[in-house]
Amino acid sequence: MATRGTRSEKVRRIFNQFDANQDGGLNREEMASLVGAVNPRVKFSDEQINAILDEVFRTYAEFIDGERGLTYEGLLRTYDDGAGDVDRDFDALALDLNVDEAGKAPAPVSEASSSSIVDERMVVESQKKQRTAAWAVSPNHGIVFDDTWKIVDDLEILIKRLKLKQAKDGKVKGENFDVYSDAGWSRELGPSTEISDKRVIWDESGHDYAVFVKEVGGLRSRADSARSREEAFDGHMAIGRVLYEHQLFKEALISFKRACELQPVDVRPHFRAGNCFYVLGKYKEAKEEFLLALESAVAGGNQWAYLLPQIYVNLGISLEGEGMVLSACEYYREAAIACPTHFRALKLLGSALFGVGEYKAAVKALDEAIFMKPDYADAHCDRASALHAMGDNERAIEVFQKAIDLKPGHVDALYNLGGLYMDLGRFQRATEMYTRVLAVWPNHWRAQLNKAVSMLGAGENEEAKRALKEALKMTNRVELHDAISHLKQLQKKKNKPNGAIPGESPFVIVEPSKFKTVGEKTTVRQDLASALQIRALQKVARLSRCNVELLKKEMSEHDVPVSYSGSGVPQKSIRKPNLEEILRKLLSFLKPDTFQGAVKAINERILSVLDENDSGRLDLGMFYAILAPICGGPAERRKRVAFDALLWRPMNEDGANLKKADVTRYIKLLRAIYIPSQGVSELMEVHGDLDTSMVSFSEFLVLFDDPDWGFGIMPTLVKLETGDRNRHGKTMCSVCRYPIIGSRFKEIKSHFSLCSQCYSEGKVPSTFKQEEYRFKEYGNEGEAMKDKC
């Protein structure tokens, strides 16, 4: 078998470079030198170095040779496990495979030029060290048979021909992904850099590509005609690897699937087929392949143990592609447990936790990733976002800046820092950040829109107009038209002063007691404020589109085993990732990214209250009962399903009535979740309620509808659901100057109008100062016209 420039050879060169005493091992001092040399931009403290070395020497104890330290085989295993990137480290040390360890260059080989595969093999042979991928002779997953090398040589030539033809015609395109946050994708069975940061897009429509596909089919036939099943498998795996390396993913997938057929219980083809599916955007199929790889790896025992972290990581990323972030967190945790030095797994865990609103846990995971890899710009960026979400804005600014210092063109860090500056009212700094985003990504319309808004905040109205026009050239989204309309209204107000005192705020906030309602249909300000918050949750989670009958169907068709909580109470409890699967069925109409936003909203608002002990398990019946009132469907039907969900719980399955203590507990939870300003203190009072009397459905409704102690806000919520898209012509809110959508609240004496949001917040124009304000609500323009007539 031919020997080429390989991954193992690179590791050998790195090992020899730092084996100062040439005793065949790297002791702690030599390992410390290696860690520092391959991270030239990082200044490690002694504590960090010792922590890294302790972890390496503990994890790879079987490869420690007494006082001599870590053997060459141990160093190779650390790279195989993903603890480092051999290609990056090799380049950082400025080593060269084309120079032997004595410093001599290899003898030159003359190059031949021919269009035939047979003649071109001479050129291929002369360039083996330069172009051969590291995987080719790896003892764990490389090429085994000599005839497979011939197939690989021929395939390389076919790809070279296709590349030359498409480059000549201008058909090969590349996209630079280096400016975005790295997904942490484990592309190979190790930390491979075989796919560059530049994505190659092949033109698959032309004759040249069709000929190439046909010729690759011929190579597959050669692999199939091998003398043994093992050699055929070797051939298809090698074909797939080369195609994958050149980003010909569809063709690579065909070869890996054929290898799966030849050896169904082998981990490698399933893993690589999963990689192909993911890159092609087929996340469900990728997940299925990774699950098969995981099953094979677990069954294979120690043989594949070192691959488990990579499988866990890619399985998590595939689940995130489907929007299943809570489930992804489970696999990232498994990867970090299997390989404690896997900083990518910890970064991905932190990012996923941030994505579902668990900010403290996210910061903890990201801190661990940064401790292991201090120059990890993406981890710094996500840590800063989590700190901002927790309200620690000054620290967030420092950490965002650290990410930008490490990677000056980091779009996510620049964009998010711009948003943070906007939140703090530092509009000029925000404008600077968005300008830097646009320098890297000129067509980023959101950055262009936010740049216009930040300029508007800084009082640069003319520049804001120009920025908005630039944004309109990029996209025609409705947000831009609303922003332009708002800008015009502000300009009109500025040009036509209406008695406001210069420098005075355009509005004042009035205490609730001064807001009076006219007519029975006008909503009380405090009720509207609570209902708007619930409505916001409905919109983000799209729960209005989830009919309550789906909850009823889920309860009747899928039972859950009874378990016992710490207090000994029987429950149909479920883990959060399993609950996420139920939500995916209920919200099957959502795209993955929208579903992820829905889960985040539900986790932050509902699950955080239900899982009061942070056990990760939830009472499923109580969850259904909490969700029912804000799902779609008639209000009375929602109440009935909530009652049935409580009956579905194991302690209430015996009849048609509920224990009053359970109903009280339910309503207190309902108020704590949806009306938090009033409900949290009430929830504290209900612990230990031992009322054993029974409640029928009709009695349940009385308790549920109680305006003071129940969920009497529901009629206001239903009114919002049916009317919060109604427009009132060109009528503008007198405070925020946006067109009024939803209910319009008109002050009877001064005749100014407020939108629902400003009314709920108690804002009135500063030019209308009165002892009290009397408002009448109009659901649509027709009602206002009728009242006027």
Side-chain angles (χ1 to χ4, degrees):
M1 181 174 74
T3 304
R4 308 185 177 203
T6 66
R7 176 192 189 85
S8 56
E9 179 60 24
K10 286 185 176 182
V11 177
R12 171 66 72 182
R13 292 290 180 92
I14 294 171
F15 182 88
N16 291 341
Q17 178 92 349
F18 291 91
D19 185 13
N21 55 14
Q22 297 184 345
D23 64 350
L26 299 179
N27 58 34
R28 289 182 71 92
E29 185 179 342
E30 292 165 339
M31 276 296 294
S33 299
L34 191 158
V35 171
V38 299
N39 294 281
R41 294 170 61 188
V42 182
K43 292 184 178 179
F44 290 104
S45 66
D46 291 342
E47 181 188 359
Q48 288 175 318
I49 287 287
N50 286 328
I52 293 169
L53 297 184
D54 288 345
E55 189 63 47
V56 170
F57 277 69
R58 181 170 58 251
T59 305
Y60 301 97
E62 61 185 296
F63 296 100
I64 303 300
D65 186 7
E67 293 183 0
R68 289 193 294 178
L70 187 71
T71 63
Y72 158 72
E73 290 77 12
L75 185 62
L76 182 63
R77 176 58 65 87
T78 67
Y79 282 113
D80 283 341
D81 286 356
D85 186 327
V86 66
D87 298 317
R88 182 182 70 85
D89 292 356
F90 194 81
D91 292 340
L93 296 170
L95 299 176
D96 189 350
L97 281 176
N98 295 321
V99 177
D100 65 20
E101 296 188 62
K104 298 177 181 178
V109 180
S110 62
E111 295 187 4
S113 177
S114 172
S115 60
S116 73
I117 287 179
V118 175
D119 293 337
E120 284 185 42
R121 196 173 283 134
M122 292 289 291
V123 180
V124 171
E125 194 68 24
S126 72
Q127 297 174 341
K128 284 176 180 179
K129 283 191 176 182
Q130 291 94 324
R131 72 162 175 75
T132 301
W135 56 267
V137 296
S138 164
N140 293 305
H141 41 79
I143 293 173
V144 178
F145 294 88
D146 288 343
D147 284 349
T148 302
W149 287 116
K150 297 173 184 176
I151 293 174
V152 167
D153 287 340
D154 291 349
L155 180 55
E156 290 278 9
I157 293 165
L158 292 177
I159 293 170
K160 182 181 176 184
R161 282 184 187 172
L162 178 66
K163 190 178 290 185
L164 288 172
K165 288 177 181 178
Q166 292 208 351
K168 185 178 178 182
D169 297 336
K171 293 178 179 178
V172 177
K173 298 177 183 177
E175 294 180 9
N176 187 7
F177 287 97
D178 191 46
V179 298
Y180 309 109
S181 288
D182 177 22
W185 179 246
S186 296
R187 299 182 181 101
E188 301 298 333
L189 298 175
S192 172
T193 56
E194 290 171 14
I195 296 182
S196 69
D197 288 321
K198 288 200 173 182
R199 171 80 184 269
V200 177
I201 301 174
W202 297 88
D203 178 17
E204 300 176 5
S205 60
H207 175 70
D208 293 337
Y209 192 83
V211 171
F212 169 76
V213 169
K214 185 177 180 181
E215 290 173 325
V216 171
L219 294 180
R220 290 197 189 98
S221 298
R222 278 171 56 186
D224 278 329
S225 62
R227 288 163 294 200
S228 67
R229 196 177 188 86
E230 289 74 18
E231 187 172 345
F233 174 83
D234 192 48
H236 283 290
M237 287 299 294
I239 292 170
R241 289 297 294 271
V242 173
L243 291 167
Y244 185 91
E245 183 185 335
H246 289 281
Q247 304 189 37
L248 291 153
F249 301 116
K250 290 181 181 177
E251 293 304 308
L253 180 60
I254 295 171
S255 294
F256 291 140
K257 291 299 287 180
R258 176 64 183 134
C260 289
E261 293 171 5
L262 290 165
Q263 293 193 13
V265 296
D266 195 298
V267 173
R268 296 165 294 175
H270 291 298
F271 182 89
R272 297 193 178 106
N275 287 356
C276 290
F277 275 127
Y278 180 86
V279 176
L280 295 170
K282 297 182 177 181
Y283 305 125
K284 182 181 178 182
E285 292 85 349
K287 176 187 71 177
E288 290 168 355
E289 289 294 338
F290 289 132
L291 285 171
L292 289 170
L294 179 60
E295 184 182 338
S296 297
V298 171
N302 291 333
Q303 179 187 3
W304 303 113
Y306 74 100
L307 301 179
L308 280 172
Q310 311 298 353
I311 298 171
Y312 285 134
V313 162
N314 287 10
L315 186 49
I317 293 173
S318 297
L319 284 162
E320 280 204 66
E322 290 188 286
M324 305 288 285
V325 183
L326 286 172
S327 302
C329 288
E330 294 292 292
Y331 288 106
Y332 296 144
R333 286 191 185 96
E334 291 293 338
I337 291 168
C339 181
T341 58
H342 203 313
F343 53 79
R344 280 193 300 264
L346 288 164
K347 184 269 175 188
L348 287 165
L349 175 60
S351 302
L353 288 168
F354 170 74
V356 293
E358 297 186 8
Y359 304 121
K360 287 184 180 178
V363 169
K364 184 179 179 183
L366 291 165
D367 281 343
E368 291 184 39
I370 290 167
F371 181 78
M372 292 182 200
K373 186 173 171 60
D375 62 345
Y376 203 164
D378 295 338
H380 285 288
C381 177
D382 287 353
R383 180 172 180 262
S385 296
L387 289 169
H388 176 37
M390 293 165 64
D392 195 347
N393 294 325
E394 293 306 318
R395 276 180 69 204
I397 291 172
E398 292 177 13
V399 180
F400 272 132
Q401 197 56 59
K402 175 69 174 177
I404 295 165
D405 291 343
L406 290 167
K407 194 173 180 180
H410 200 299
V411 165
D412 290 343
L414 290 166
Y415 183 83
N416 292 339
L417 181 54
L420 173 49
Y421 280 134
M422 285 261 282
D423 290 346
L424 296 175
R426 303 181 194 175
F427 298 112
Q428 289 185 332
R429 291 289 288 147
T431 301
E432 291 173 23
M433 293 302 112
Y434 294 128
T435 301
R436 289 179 66 179
V437 171
L438 292 164
V440 180
W441 187 356
N443 292 324
H444 197 308
W445 71 266
R446 291 186 186 278
Q448 187 67 49
L449 173 59
N450 285 351
K451 180 181 177 182
V453 175
S454 62
M455 286 177 163
L456 186 62
E460 302 171 6
N461 290 350
E462 292 304 315
E463 290 83 353
K465 282 183 183 178
R466 284 194 287 271
L468 276 174
K469 287 178 181 177
E470 288 299 316
L472 271 173
K473 293 177 184 177
M474 299 176 190
T475 183
N476 200 32
R477 294 175 68 98
V478 70
E479 292 99 317
L480 289 173
H481 294 284
D482 283 345
I484 291 170
S485 174
H486 184 52
L487 186 62
K488 287 178 179 176
Q489 285 298 317
L490 290 175
Q491 198 67 33
K492 282 182 186 177
K493 192 174 182 183
K494 181 180 178 182
N495 295 335
K496 290 172 64 179
N498 54 1
I501 301 170
E504 186 180 33
S505 172
F507 64 86
V508 293
I509 297 177
V510 178
E511 61 184 70
S513 63
K514 291 186 177 182
F515 265 38
K516 308 295 183 184
T517 59
V518 176
E520 295 179 359
K521 292 183 179 179
T522 303
T523 307
V524 177
R525 170 180 154 187
Q526 296 95 314
D527 287 352
L528 182 61
S530 297
L532 283 171
Q533 288 185 7
I534 301 169
R535 184 71 180 126
L537 172 63
Q538 276 184 316
K539 287 180 178 179
V540 171
R542 306 303 198 275
L543 289 167
S544 295
R545 294 173 59 190
C546 172
N547 195 288
V548 73
E549 299 300 336
L550 291 174
L551 289 186
K552 181 70 175 173
K553 183 181 178 183
E554 190 67 30
M555 285 187 285
S556 60
E557 293 183 358
H558 301 94
D559 206 358
V560 176
V562 175
S563 59
Y564 290 84
S565 65
S567 61
V569 178
Q571 285 185 348
K572 291 182 177 179
S573 67
I574 192 170
R575 293 171 63 252
K576 280 188 179 182
N578 301 117
L579 180 62
E580 186 180 46
E581 293 173 9
I582 293 173
L583 285 171
R584 195 70 188 102
K585 286 189 282 184
L586 296 173
L587 302 172
S588 59
F589 49 85
L590 294 183
K591 293 181 178 178
D593 56 342
T594 313
F595 176 73
Q596 181 179 335
V599 171
K600 178 182 179 182
I602 291 169
N603 188 45
E604 285 185 300
R605 194 72 180 271
I606 301 175
L607 305 189
S608 61
V609 178
L610 292 181
D611 185 19
E612 56 187 343
N613 298 321
D614 292 326
S615 65
R617 298 192 72 86
L618 299 151
D619 180 341
L620 186 57
M622 184 62 78
F623 173 75
Y624 284 144
I626 294 289
L627 207 62
I630 64 170
C631 285
E636 295 308 312
R637 188 62 190 151
R638 298 185 210 177
K639 297 173 192 176
R640 179 73 230 192
V641 172
F643 184 81
D644 291 344
L646 295 173
L647 278 177
W648 185 72
R649 299 166 77 218
M651 64 282 285
N652 294 314
E653 286 179 328
D654 299 335
N657 297 326
L658 297 169
K659 291 177 185 175
K660 189 171 182 180
D662 291 339
V663 175
T664 304
R665 171 74 176 160
Y666 163 65
I667 291 177
K668 299 293 187 184
L669 277 169
L670 204 61
R671 289 173 64 83
I673 289 168
Y674 296 130
I675 317 174
S677 59
Q678 303 169 33
V680 174
S681 58
E682 297 168 8
L683 186 60
M684 299 300 290
E685 297 167 11
V686 79
H687 285 291
D689 193 337
L690 300 175
D691 191 340
T692 57
S693 60
M694 304 303 286
V695 173
S696 66
F697 178 58
S698 59
E699 293 168 323
F700 170 82
L701 289 179
V702 173
L703 293 169
F704 187 95
D705 292 333
D706 188 292
D708 297 318
W709 301 104
F711 198 64
I713 199 172
M714 194 160 179
T716 306
L717 177 62
V718 172
K719 187 196 290 189
L720 284 177
E721 292 172 2
T722 55
D724 65 358
R725 292 180 181 272
N726 294 342
R727 289 181 176 264
H728 295 259
K730 295 183 179 179
T731 305
M732 301 283 174
C733 174
S734 298
V735 171
C736 69
R737 310 303 297 171
Y738 275 102
I740 293 179
I741 303 173
S743 288
R744 168 189 171 192
F745 293 86
K746 184 177 179 181
E747 210 285 320
I748 298 303
K749 181 180 177 182
S750 301
H751 304 293
F752 63 84
S753 295
L754 299 179
C755 65
S756 294
Q757 193 64 45
C758 290
Y759 174 79
S760 72
E761 293 171 3
K763 294 177 179 177
V764 298
S766 56
T767 49
F768 300 109
K769 293 180 179 177
Q770 300 168 194
E771 282 300 314
E772 68 174 27
Y773 299 84
R774 300 174 71 240
F775 288 96
K776 186 167 184 180
E777 179 178 357
Y778 297 103
N780 53 57
E781 192 178 11
E783 287 181 12
M785 291 296 292
K786 186 177 178 182
D787 196 42
K788 191 176 182 180
C789 293

